[in-house]
Amino acid sequence: PACSDLKKLGEKIGRKRVDKYGDTVISEPVAGDGFRRRHDEIKGKLLSLLKWSGIDVECEVFNLFSGLIPQEGLNRLERGRKRQGILPDFRIRSSVPRDGVGSGGAAVSESRLAELKVLSSCPTRYARAPRSRVKAVKRRADQLPIEYLKHARKVDTEYGGVKEGTVGPVEAKLASFPRIEGWVFGKWGECSPDVHNLIREMAKSRISYQQELERKEGRRTKEVSDSASLSVLTGQIRRGLNVMAVRS
């Protein structure tokens, strides 16, 4: 009887066998909401780093697209997050000189949307045979703009009354942003190219933020080159994110 009860419990928890390295155990959806906790821990770390670097950031961008959906369509949407139509993880506004810190180049200010994703060691993302030459994090990041576009068109047609093949208000609003950045963290501590670009941007923004504070307070700037400070800060931010991604 004990063996039969254990078998029934195993069928409820998961339907896959334990493999050689335990990947199926890690990637199997079980009780405890571990996937959401992992996502939120990394999201909190990114949010704190963005604020620390002086970048204007908004997390969980509510009411960005919901105002473009007619009331009749909103009434058919579920409550909570789904009522937003599209809910990006981040919206950031930054002004960093195009040619780097201290170069005197013109600062480029823009508003961008970003979506955070975390990968587990499942066959869907990490296929063993055939093994893809493109990293799993980059493949996932490249899929996000297409997914956002499809979702925007779906919201317009199903809830906005827009005919198929016509650009609706939600799709037009989405197109007003440069693109959807994919901040993807993999199982083995790797991250997508957009995360690497973000790390460099945060380091540059932190230097500019520190210099502006020193000018306002009348403090003397340290005799350290911008390139040296940039290297130190880039390594500091990269280590902090990497540790959080692996630990979570």
Side-chain angles (χ1 to χ4, degrees), residues 38-39 42-43 45-47 49-50 53 55 89-90 92 112-119 135-142 144 179-187 189-204 233-246:
R38 179 188 176 198
H39 178 275
I42 299 176
K43 182 168 65 176
K45 181 66 175 180
L46 280 168
L47 181 61
L49 284 172
L50 285 163
S53 62
I55 294 177
D89 283 323
F90 292 96
I92 62 175
R112 295 134 51 200
L113 299 179
E115 182 73 17
L116 171 64
K117 295 294 182 183
V118 292
L119 306 184
K135 290 186 177 181
V137 288
K138 187 179 186 306
R139 290 201 311 272
R140 186 68 185 97
D142 292 342
L144 289 174
R179 68 185 185 92
I180 303 297
E181 295 188 6
W183 299 349
V184 185
F185 291 83
K187 172 61 184 173
E190 76 276 26
C191 56
S192 60
D194 283 336
V195 177
H196 289 287
N197 295 334
L198 177 67
I199 290 172
R200 288 190 289 269
E201 182 180 354
M202 286 193 290
K204 292 177 182 179
L233 286 173
T234 302
Q236 178 183 341
I237 297 170
R238 181 178 287 116
R239 283 192 300 272
L241 269 178
N242 183 261
V243 169
M244 174 57 68
V246 173

Side-chain angles (χ1 to χ4, degrees), residues 156-170:
D156 279 330
T157 54
E158 292 188 6
Y159 304 103
V162 178
K163 294 182 180 179
E164 291 188 7
T166 305
V167 177
V170 176

Side-chain angles (χ1 to χ4, degrees), residues 93-99 105-112 201:
R93 303 181 187 89
S94 62
S95 298
V96 176
R98 185 181 296 275
D99 300 327
V108 179
S109 179
E110 60 182 5
S111 179
R112 295 134 51 200
E201 182 180 354

Side-chain angles (χ1 to χ4, degrees), residues 9-25:
L9 179 62
E11 290 175 352
K12 290 181 180 179
I13 293 177
R15 298 181 179 179
K16 296 180 180 178
R17 292 180 177 273
V18 178
D19 62 329
K20 182 177 180 180
Y21 300 102
D23 291 343
T24 56
V25 179

